[in-house]
Amino acid sequence: KVMSKTRYDKSLVKKAVHLIRDPFDNVVSRYHLELGVLEKKDPKEFKKYSKDREGFRKFCSKWDAEFAGKEQRNFNIDDKLLAYIKDVPCHSDFFRYVQWHNLASTATRNLQIPTLRLHYESYEDNLEGNLNKLLTFLELEKIGETAAFIPGKRYRNYYTSDEVKALSKMLKELAYIDMWPLLEHYFDEDIISEAGR
């Protein structure tokens, strides 16, 4: 594949909406997307992985082994932190997750544009309130009836409580100072105790 760089006139960007999803749901959902690609690309390999916790963990073992060594060079993770998370399934995806949010936050700060940060799951808890907040921020009027929000699946149980604690430490260390408060609630003690069930 040939990749080309594209630049946009930054004056076109007036506002940003930064949507944050539970990191565990995000990573496991990405696994499901990868399975879809693998099914078309290599059906024989695809059959090795089921769409459940065991299939996910098996896929991550292969993925993590394939990228071991490259992580430290490319992600600039120190030995102590890498030792702590090295056994967490698909741990490099969590680095990409926190890096994406760090860079999104940096971009909006550098552009000096108003930014609304929302958590994906908050639509499940308060659809109308969040929709109104979004429409107000974007200076848009509501048109028609609100469609029902269909929440994504929860995948916290794909990880053990020890893995969740290790990831909490990793994300806390790697998240920019303005990002950690937006991610921290995913690692509350009550949530950690739900892991692996």
Side-chain angles (χ1 to χ4, degrees), residues 30-31 34 49 56-68 71 75 89-94 96:
R30 190 177 104 49
Y31 160 67
E34 286 290 325
Y49 307 104
F56 170 74
R57 293 177 80 85
K58 183 177 180 182
F59 178 86
C60 289
S61 287
K62 181 180 183 288
W63 187 266
D64 290 339
E66 191 174 315
F67 290 101
E71 292 169 334
F75 296 159
C90 285
H91 54 268
S92 62
D93 276 351
F94 288 93
R96 279 190 287 279

Side-chain angles (χ1 to χ4, degrees), residues 6-186:
T6 303
R7 294 195 184 267
Y8 295 93
D9 182 349
K10 65 183 179 183
S11 69
L12 295 173
V13 181
K14 303 295 182 201
K15 293 182 177 185
V17 176
H18 184 161
L19 185 63
I20 302 164
R21 187 174 183 196
D22 182 310
F24 299 94
D25 299 343
N26 190 286
V27 168
V28 177
S29 292
R30 190 177 104 49
Y31 160 67
H32 290 139
L33 290 173
E34 286 290 325
L35 278 186
V37 171
L38 190 60
E39 183 176 22
K40 292 175 184 151
K41 195 168 126 183
D42 188 350
K44 186 177 177 183
E45 182 72 12
F46 165 77
K47 290 180 182 177
K48 294 179 183 177
Y49 307 104
S50 54
K51 277 194 160 189
D52 57 13
R53 184 178 194 263
E54 288 71 33
F56 170 74
R57 293 177 80 85
K58 183 177 180 182
F59 178 86
C60 289
S61 287
K62 181 180 183 288
W63 187 266
D64 290 339
E66 191 174 315
F67 290 101
K70 292 179 184 177
E71 292 169 334
Q72 201 165 13
R73 288 191 310 273
N74 296 336
F75 296 159
N76 198 25
I77 297 176
D78 65 37
D79 290 337
K80 183 179 174 184
L81 189 56
L82 189 60
Y84 199 65
I85 60 151
K86 70 178 176 55
D87 295 324
V88 174
C90 285
H91 54 268
S92 62
D93 276 351
F94 288 93
F95 176 81
R96 279 190 287 279
Y97 171 90
V98 74
Q99 211 41 14
W100 190 95
H101 287 294
N102 284 342
L103 294 173
S105 180
T106 299
T108 58
R109 187 173 47 254
N110 289 347
L111 289 171
Q112 298 179 346
I113 56 175
T115 303
L116 176 64
R117 291 183 175 89
L118 295 170
H119 288 91
Y120 174 85
E121 63 277 2
S122 68
Y123 281 94
E124 185 177 354
D125 301 334
N126 183 6
L127 177 59
E128 283 299 320
N130 282 290
L131 178 60
N132 290 333
K133 187 188 302 184
L134 179 61
L135 291 173
T136 299
F137 177 76
L138 296 174
E139 300 174 47
L140 297 172
E141 290 185 30
K142 184 177 177 184
I143 300 172
E145 294 298 314
T146 304
F149 178 73
I150 302 169
K153 294 183 180 176
R154 307 283 179 167
Y155 296 106
R156 180 65 51 129
N157 64 340
Y158 278 42
Y159 288 86
T160 67
S161 59
D162 286 343
E163 291 165 345
V164 172
K165 288 176 187 173
L167 286 166
S168 174
K169 183 175 181 175
M170 172 194 170
L171 294 182
K172 184 175 184 177
E173 183 151 326
L174 297 176
Y176 290 172
I177 196 162
D178 61 330
M179 280 311 305
W180 177 245
L182 298 169
L183 302 176
E184 186 174 21
H185 76 275
Y186 294 118

